[in-house]
Amino acid sequence: MIEITPVLDSRSNSPLYVQLANYIKQEILSGRIKPNEKLPSKRNLSRYLNLSLNTIQSAYEQLCAEGYVESKPRKGIFVSTFNEEIPSNQIFSQKCEPENEELKVNIKYDFNSGKVDLEHFPYSIWRKLTIQSLYQDKGELFYNGNPQGELLLREQIAKYLFASRGVRCSANQIIIGAGTQVLIGLLSLLIGKDHIYALENPGLHRTRTTLQDLGVHTISTPLDEDGININQLKNSAASVVYVTPSHQFPYGMIMPISRRMELLKWAEGKNGYIIEDDYDGEYRFKGKPIPSLQGLDTKGNVVYLGTFSKSLIPSIRISYMVLPSSLIKKYQESFTVYKQTVSRLHQDTLYRFMNDGHWQSHLNKMRTLYRKKHSTLMVSIQNYFGENAIVVGGNSGLHIVLEVKNSMKEDELISKALNVGVKVYPISIYYHCAKESLSPGVILGFGGLSETEIDIGIRLLKEVWEL
Amino acid sequence: MIEITPVLDSRSNSPLYVQLANYIKQEILSGRIKPNEKLPSKRNLSRYLNLSLNTIQSAYEQLCAEGYVESKPRKGIFVSTFNEEIPSNQIFSQKCEPENEELKVNIKYDFNSGKVDLEHFPYSIWRKLTIQSLYQDKGELFYNGNPQGELLLREQIAKYLFASRGVRCSANQIIIGAGTQVLIGLLSLLIGKDHIYALENPGLHRTRTTLQDLGVHTISTPLDEDGININQLKNSAASVVYVTPSHQFPYGMIMPISRRMELLKWAEGKNGYIIEDDYDGEYRFKGKPIPSLQGLDTKGNVVYLGTFSKSLIPSIRISYMVLPSSLIKKYQESFTVYKQTVSRLHQDTLYRFMNDGHWQSHLNKMRTLYRKKHSTLMVSIQNYFGENAIVVGGNSGLHIVLEVKNSMKEDELISKALNVGVKVYPISIYYHCAKESLSPGVILGFGGLSETEIDIGIRLLKEVWEL
């Protein structure tokens, strides 16, 4: 009988059978116990080590399950033969990289366009409803739900979209997803690879990257003062176009009705699609929100994308798309294999939030709030910069583009600002090629700053930009 | 002056200026007010309609913003000319499909392998921690977090993986995502399109579909009794392989150490990758969980995939992957443009759950529970079916394959079962080509059923399957 004399620690957190199995494993790995050798019988080893038969049994089963040993009926337990050599030092050799935490600069005034006002988020209501979701549907909400998203939430979204955005759809046309990038991925599968996609240039870089990473053929189409240049689009081979008509990103123009009608006619003629990303269409500072392309579409050529990231909270990750009937049919036939990516619990909480009317009050409150911040921003820019800066795209949304009339380039504007704790953002990354960006300017988001902070931030910029 | 005589309702929810703007818009769309016509001056219309100047001003601004009219300095407001004809009936014409709700058969005993036991989910603890997440971090958690996932959660996962699965990694190597499909999508970008992927056949169909939809070149590799057939793999052009070594899906074999070592050597030689999907590795019914391929890997060729869907709750949508240093480097250089898809709130709650030790107790409890259910299933099958059925892959995980020795084919087995309210699941969908499936059999998951339900379900199957 081969000798097995482990040092076992009965006070260890690790059960004795695990310690024993590990010991034998090491003996095998190190070559001290050879392939094809017979292990002691359970009874013998139990007596020898003064351990219960159960412990030995469990250890042997473990070794057996891991393939280190094999049980041969009526013969005993034998060490397996391996086709490949097992490195004895395998266990501690793989190098692990240390965690790289981002260097934090001391930023006091962050004009990040992705930030929203959380001071006024209705925490107590959201908590109450979260708890309701957790209590009232014991179990059910913890299973996987409809891959398209919860019906109750989709119904609320359809109702809201009709009332506020002029989008006409049933809940059946809506697909919920964990962010626009996830939905764009699914959408590109539904639309198929035969289409060429025209993208606004400059435009949202995350969408461009996502589509390109997916292997979609994309082309860049420049803007004019009404949004995407329709003539360039018509002259291209594209049959799908991705646009941000409510508030072009980043330049902020609102696409007028005439351009919308032209786009729709183009899509109909091409038998293609318009992807309308209404990422912050809830916030307009003049008049009420203008009707969406989806609402004007009579032929089923428009896909409408929306999100709760700007209007509610970013980190909850709930976006949605409204598909025309041709695409929703395709989805339901072939793509429900993709599981829903948004937590069902959050979907339920959001449903309750909308159903109880909190969503509408929240939006109303935020509209007033952002209108004030927007107005402060405009006044501060006028006061401090005067004629030395031009605001572009300031009629809606949570950011503006600021064209600065000094000799500084974009990176200089940004780094000078950073020196006084103010973070402003580049436009160049939204261009297909960074060097295309013409007039020097930066993006200023104001959703996450208070009115006072906005004013101080702009004043600091005046100083470092020497305006 | 053209005549504008709307019927306005001062008790309506819609502000007067909105009603007025909508009325003028309809007049323009219907052609009653023609392009290039001049609208009444604000002052005149204000007097004429007996409305405040503000109301008229807002209505005109709205029409202007939507592009229906244009303001010409010192001349007045004119109706725009449109390049495209606007359909006057556009607003109510797009067809909306009715909601198709799935037909529900009356299923009493659902042997769904995706279901887990929710009776024993620690609701009160989870609620308490959710509320803690909501209260203690006012604001912060509502912003977008680290695209890789929250560091605190990743640290907990790294700790757990080391202790329980033999996975050696730092939090820095972990990427969190809303389900395996999302992570596979990202992973295929990191690995790149130059590789051919070998997939287990039969194997998880969602992974196969996801990779194929992404345009990845995949090949099917058959199984032998130890898992994926290594010789077939070696003879193929593949340099990436996707495997489920802890509990092959669907057949349930556990890959022994010798095959694991061969696979690792293969990957090293190919300079390729092994994607190890440990989808239910937490549950083994003999010995403790066996070490992962990742833990045996010394060369950085293994990507480890894990999920909380089976071990905690499916609908929360938290999965993760552990990348070797070459891939995590690539991710951090070029792919953080992809936003994190899991709610930050859920990540924080799960972190608390793990940090406070609830995760380990939950796992221990569930292991005992599933062991009992598993044992009941085995006993019931033995009692009712005797020699007429064979259980395959019953050593671990939350499902087994049942090969039934009667003359019925898969679809007949399933439909007969359905007649008595029992739902069992096909194997054929996991094959690359459905007709490859040889012996007639079905998949039985037992996680979501009680012991009594399991026993009754199997008894009912005996009757309808005439065993």
Side-chain angles (χ1 to χ4, degrees):
Chain A
M1 183 176 101
I2 57 170
E3 195 168 293
I4 293 178
T5 45
V7 181
L8 305 180
D9 179 0
S10 60
R11 291 156 310 172
S12 156
N13 284 328
S14 186
L16 287 175
Y17 85 89
V18 173
Q19 295 183 51
L20 176 59
N22 282 342
Y23 172 80
I24 298 175
K25 212 184 302 178
Q26 282 306 323
E27 295 288 283
I28 295 172
L29 289 171
S30 68
R32 285 187 293 274
I33 305 181
K34 299 277 182 301
N36 293 319
E37 268 197 272
K38 188 181 174 190
L39 294 189
S41 78
K42 294 167 209 165
R43 198 161 302 273
N44 281 344
L45 193 60
S46 162
R47 269 197 300 264
Y48 179 70
L49 296 176
N50 197 18
L51 289 171
S52 81
L53 201 55
N54 269 344
T55 301
I56 311 294
Q57 168 82 20
S58 298
Y60 277 14
E61 276 181 3
Q62 175 60 29
L63 290 167
C64 212
E66 295 191 28
Y68 287 92
V69 302
E70 288 164 36
S71 167
K72 298 186 182 172
R74 286 176 306 279
K75 289 189 178 163
I77 310 280
F78 293 82
V79 177
S80 304
T81 52
F82 305 109
N83 294 354
E84 308 294 339
E85 205 182 319
I86 301 174
S88 63
N89 62 342
Q90 64 189 26
I91 296 194
F92 300 102
S93 55
Q94 197 180 350
K95 200 179 149 231
C96 286
E97 300 286 323
E99 181 78 16
N100 275 322
E101 275 304 89
E102 201 187 277
L103 248 87
K104 303 246 174 197
V105 186
N106 187 16
I107 296 165
K108 285 196 205 116
Y109 308 97
D110 186 355
F111 286 90
N112 185 332
S113 66
K115 295 230 168 173
V116 301
D117 188 296
L118 296 183
E119 286 285 309
H120 296 80
F121 180 79
Y123 290 96
S124 58
I125 292 170
W126 189 261
R127 279 186 202 118
K128 194 188 77 187
L129 297 176
T130 299
I131 294 162
Q132 276 183 22
S133 299
L134 279 163
Y135 272 90
Q136 294 186 5
D137 286 277
K138 189 171 179 179
E140 190 50 42
L141 287 180
F142 283 178
Y143 278 129
N144 277 317
N146 189 321
Q148 214 175 324
E150 295 301 290
L151 178 59
L152 288 173
L153 175 58
R154 287 185 283 123
E155 281 170 351
Q156 288 295 326
I157 292 173
K159 229 164 90 181
Y160 157 69
L161 287 178
F162 177 73
S164 293
R165 313 292 302 123
V167 170
R168 283 141 218 290
C169 68
S170 70
N172 189 43
Q173 289 170 267
I174 298 176
I175 298 178
I176 291 167
T180 302
Q181 291 173 311
V182 169
L183 291 171
I184 289 268
L186 179 56
L187 184 58
S188 76
L189 296 179
L190 294 172
I191 289 178
K193 291 277 164 84
D194 306 335
H195 292 268
I196 294 175
Y197 288 54
L199 306 180
E200 293 170 333
N201 186 30
L204 280 162
H205 70 308
R206 287 183 206 273
T207 306
R208 190 173 61 233
T209 307
T210 305
L211 286 169
Q212 289 173 347
D213 281 347
L214 290 166
V216 171
H217 186 161
T218 64
I219 54 172
S220 294
T221 308
L223 307 174
D224 60 25
E225 70 280 7
D226 287 342
I228 198 159
N229 185 312
I230 187 83
N231 290 325
Q232 296 248 10
L233 182 63
K234 283 177 180 169
N235 291 333
S236 77
S239 52
V240 175
V241 66
Y242 170 87
V243 286
T244 46
S246 300
H247 187 229
Q248 201 276 335
F249 199 95
Y251 273 104
M253 61 280 278
I254 300 166
M255 190 182 285
I257 186 88
S258 54
R259 179 63 52 88
R260 291 178 191 232
M261 300 314 291
E262 283 186 290
L263 256 191
L264 287 166
K265 189 158 182 185
W266 169 85
E268 188 191 343
K270 289 274 185 177
N271 205 9
Y273 295 101
I274 300 167
I275 304 170
E276 175 181 28
D277 189 350
D278 204 13
Y279 66 98
D280 71 354
E282 293 86 0
Y283 302 120
R284 280 205 32 80
F285 306 117
K286 288 186 179 170
K288 73 163 185 175
I290 64 172
S292 59
L293 278 161
Q294 202 277 357
L296 296 167
D297 175 30
T298 57
K299 311 289 181 177
N301 298 111
V302 175
V303 174
Y304 178 92
L305 281 175
T307 176
F308 289 94
S309 291
K310 296 274 184 181
S311 47
L312 191 60
I313 38 178
S315 73
I316 202 177
R317 310 306 292 132
I318 307 188
S319 298
Y320 51 87
M321 59 181 173
V322 178
L323 297 180
S325 53
S326 57
L327 293 180
I328 199 72
K329 195 161 164 276
K330 208 164 161 188
Y331 167 77
Q332 282 164 347
E333 279 165 9
S334 314
F335 291 91
T336 53
V337 67
Y338 289 94
K339 288 190 185 172
Q340 175 54 234
T341 46
V342 177
S343 156
R344 204 168 165 188
L345 196 65
H346 279 343
Q347 290 185 64
D348 187 70
T349 306
L350 182 54
Y351 151 69
R352 290 168 191 270
F353 190 76
M354 296 179 88
N355 191 45
D356 295 359
H358 302 301
W359 166 241
Q360 201 52 56
S361 349
H362 175 67
L363 264 189
N364 292 343
K365 190 172 72 179
M366 296 317 276
R367 282 193 181 117
T368 307
L369 188 75
Y370 289 137
R371 186 184 302 274
K372 281 189 194 160
K373 292 188 181 190
H374 175 263
S375 153
T376 298
L377 178 67
M378 293 304 182
V379 169
S380 301
I381 288 173
Q382 180 58 39
N383 285 349
Y384 296 120
F385 297 168
E387 301 289 302
N388 295 320
I390 296 170
V391 171
V392 181
N395 283 341
S396 71
L398 299 183
H399 76 271
I400 59 152
V401 168
L402 192 69
E403 292 183 354
V404 183
K405 294 182 187 169
N406 61 12
S407 58
M408 294 178 192
K409 297 219 169 107
E410 183 187 272
D411 52 356
E412 204 179 348
L413 290 171
I414 292 170
S415 66
K416 292 264 186 194
L418 217 50
N419 287 340
V420 289
V422 181
K423 195 160 182 195
V424 298
Y425 290 81
I427 296 179
S428 56
I429 61 165
Y430 300 104
Y431 280 86
H432 184 67
C433 303
K435 58 187 162 200
E436 293 167 307
S437 177
L438 294 176
S439 44
V442 291
I443 297 177
L444 300 187
F446 53 88
L449 295 172
S450 72
E451 290 181 61
T452 313
E453 288 169 331
I454 290 170
D455 189 68
I456 299 174
I458 299 297
R459 184 165 54 71
L460 288 169
L461 289 178
K462 174 198 164 66
E463 290 165 19
V464 285
W465 287 348
E466 299 164 16
L467 294 177
Chain B
M1 183 176 105
I2 57 170
E3 195 171 291
I4 294 179
T5 46
V7 182
L8 304 180
D9 179 0
S10 60
R11 291 156 311 172
S12 156
N13 284 328
S14 185
L16 287 174
Y17 86 88
V18 173
Q19 296 182 50
L20 176 61
N22 282 342
Y23 172 81
I24 298 175
K25 211 184 304 179
Q26 282 305 323
E27 295 287 283
I28 294 171
L29 289 171
S30 68
R32 284 187 293 275
I33 304 182
K34 300 278 183 303
N36 294 319
E37 267 196 274
K38 187 181 175 188
L39 293 190
S41 77
K42 294 166 209 164
R43 199 162 300 271
N44 280 343
L45 193 59
S46 161
R47 271 198 298 263
Y48 180 70
L49 296 177
N50 198 18
L51 290 172
S52 80
L53 202 55
N54 269 346
T55 302
I56 311 293
Q57 168 83 22
S58 299
Y60 277 14
E61 276 181 4
Q62 175 61 29
L63 290 167
C64 214
E66 295 191 27
Y68 285 93
V69 303
E70 289 163 35
S71 168
K72 298 183 182 173
R74 288 174 305 278
K75 288 188 177 164
I77 311 280
F78 293 82
V79 176
S80 303
T81 51
F82 306 109
N83 295 355
E84 308 295 337
E85 206 182 317
I86 301 173
S88 64
N89 62 341
Q90 64 190 24
I91 295 195
F92 302 101
S93 54
Q94 198 181 349
K95 204 180 146 226
C96 288
E97 301 286 322
E99 181 78 16
N100 275 321
E101 276 303 270
E102 201 188 279
L103 248 88
K104 302 246 175 195
V105 187
N106 187 13
I107 296 165
K108 284 194 207 118
Y109 308 98
D110 187 354
F111 285 91
N112 185 332
S113 67
K115 295 231 167 173
V116 300
D117 189 297
L118 295 184
E119 286 284 313
H120 296 79
F121 180 79
Y123 289 97
S124 57
I125 292 170
W126 189 261
R127 278 187 203 115
K128 194 187 77 188
L129 298 175
T130 297
I131 294 162
Q132 275 182 22
S133 300
L134 279 164
Y135 273 89
Q136 293 186 5
D137 287 278
K138 188 170 180 180
E140 190 50 41
L141 287 180
F142 284 179
Y143 277 130
N144 276 317
N146 189 321
Q148 214 176 323
E150 295 301 290
L151 177 59
L152 287 174
L153 175 58
R154 287 184 284 122
E155 283 171 350
Q156 289 295 325
I157 292 174
K159 229 164 90 180
Y160 158 69
L161 286 178
F162 177 73
S164 293
R165 314 291 301 122
V167 169
R168 281 143 220 290
C169 67
S170 71
N172 189 43
Q173 288 171 266
I174 297 177
I175 298 178
I176 290 167
T180 303
Q181 290 173 312
V182 168
L183 291 171
I184 288 269
L186 179 57
L187 184 58
S188 75
L189 297 179
L190 294 172
I191 290 178
K193 290 280 163 79
D194 306 335
H195 292 269
I196 294 177
Y197 288 55
L199 306 179
E200 293 171 333
N201 186 29
L204 279 163
H205 69 309
R206 287 181 205 274
T207 306
R208 191 172 61 234
T209 306
T210 304
L211 286 169
Q212 289 173 348
D213 281 346
L214 289 167
V216 171
H217 186 163
T218 65
I219 55 172
S220 294
T221 308
L223 307 175
D224 60 26
E225 69 279 6
D226 286 342
I228 198 159
N229 185 311
I230 187 82
N231 290 325
Q232 296 247 9
L233 181 64
K234 283 177 179 168
N235 291 333
S236 77
S239 52
V240 175
V241 66
Y242 170 88
V243 287
T244 47
S246 300
H247 187 230
Q248 201 277 335
F249 198 96
Y251 274 105
M253 60 280 276
I254 299 166
M255 189 182 285
I257 186 85
S258 54
R259 178 65 52 88
R260 290 179 192 233
M261 299 315 289
E262 283 186 291
L263 257 191
L264 287 167
K265 190 158 182 186
W266 168 85
E268 188 191 344
K270 289 273 185 177
N271 205 7
Y273 294 101
I274 300 168
I275 305 170
E276 174 180 30
D277 189 351
D278 204 12
Y279 66 99
D280 70 355
E282 292 86 1
Y283 300 121
R284 283 208 24 86
F285 306 118
K286 289 185 178 169
K288 74 163 184 175
I290 63 172
S292 59
L293 278 160
Q294 202 276 357
L296 297 166
D297 176 31
T298 57
K299 312 288 182 178
N301 298 113
V302 175
V303 174
Y304 177 92
L305 281 175
T307 176
F308 290 94
S309 290
K310 296 273 184 182
S311 47
L312 190 62
I313 38 179
S315 74
I316 203 177
R317 312 303 293 130
I318 307 186
S319 298
Y320 51 88
M321 60 181 173
V322 179
L323 298 180
S325 54
S326 58
L327 293 180
I328 199 72
K329 194 160 166 276
K330 209 165 162 188
Y331 166 77
Q332 282 164 345
E333 278 166 10
S334 315
F335 291 92
T336 53
V337 67
Y338 288 95
K339 289 190 185 173
Q340 175 54 233
T341 47
V342 176
S343 157
R344 205 168 164 188
L345 197 65
H346 279 344
Q347 291 185 66
D348 186 71
T349 306
L350 181 54
Y351 151 70
R352 291 168 189 270
F353 190 76
M354 296 179 88
N355 191 44
D356 295 357
H358 303 301
W359 167 241
Q360 200 53 55
S361 349
H362 175 67
L363 265 189
N364 292 342
K365 189 172 72 179
M366 297 316 277
R367 283 194 180 116
T368 308
L369 188 76
Y370 288 137
R371 188 184 301 275
K372 282 188 191 159
K373 291 188 181 192
H374 175 264
S375 152
T376 299
L377 178 67
M378 292 307 184
V379 169
S380 301
I381 288 173
Q382 180 57 39
N383 285 349
Y384 295 120
F385 296 168
E387 301 289 300
N388 295 319
I390 295 171
V391 172
V392 180
N395 283 343
S396 73
L398 299 182
H399 76 272
I400 59 153
V401 168
L402 193 69
E403 292 184 354
V404 183
K405 294 183 187 167
N406 61 11
S407 57
M408 293 177 193
K409 298 221 168 100
E410 182 186 274
D411 51 356
E412 205 179 346
L413 290 170
I414 292 168
S415 67
K416 291 264 186 196
L418 217 50
N419 287 341
V420 289
V422 181
K423 194 159 182 193
V424 297
Y425 290 81
I427 295 179
S428 57
I429 60 165
Y430 300 104
Y431 280 86
H432 184 66
C433 303
K435 58 187 165 202
E436 293 168 308
S437 175
L438 295 174
S439 45
V442 290
I443 296 176
L444 301 187
F446 54 88
L449 295 171
S450 72
E451 291 182 60
T452 313
E453 287 168 334
I454 290 171
D455 189 68
I456 299 174
I458 298 298
R459 184 165 54 70
L460 288 168
L461 288 178
K462 174 197 165 66
E463 289 165 20
V464 285
W465 286 349
E466 299 163 15
L467 295 177

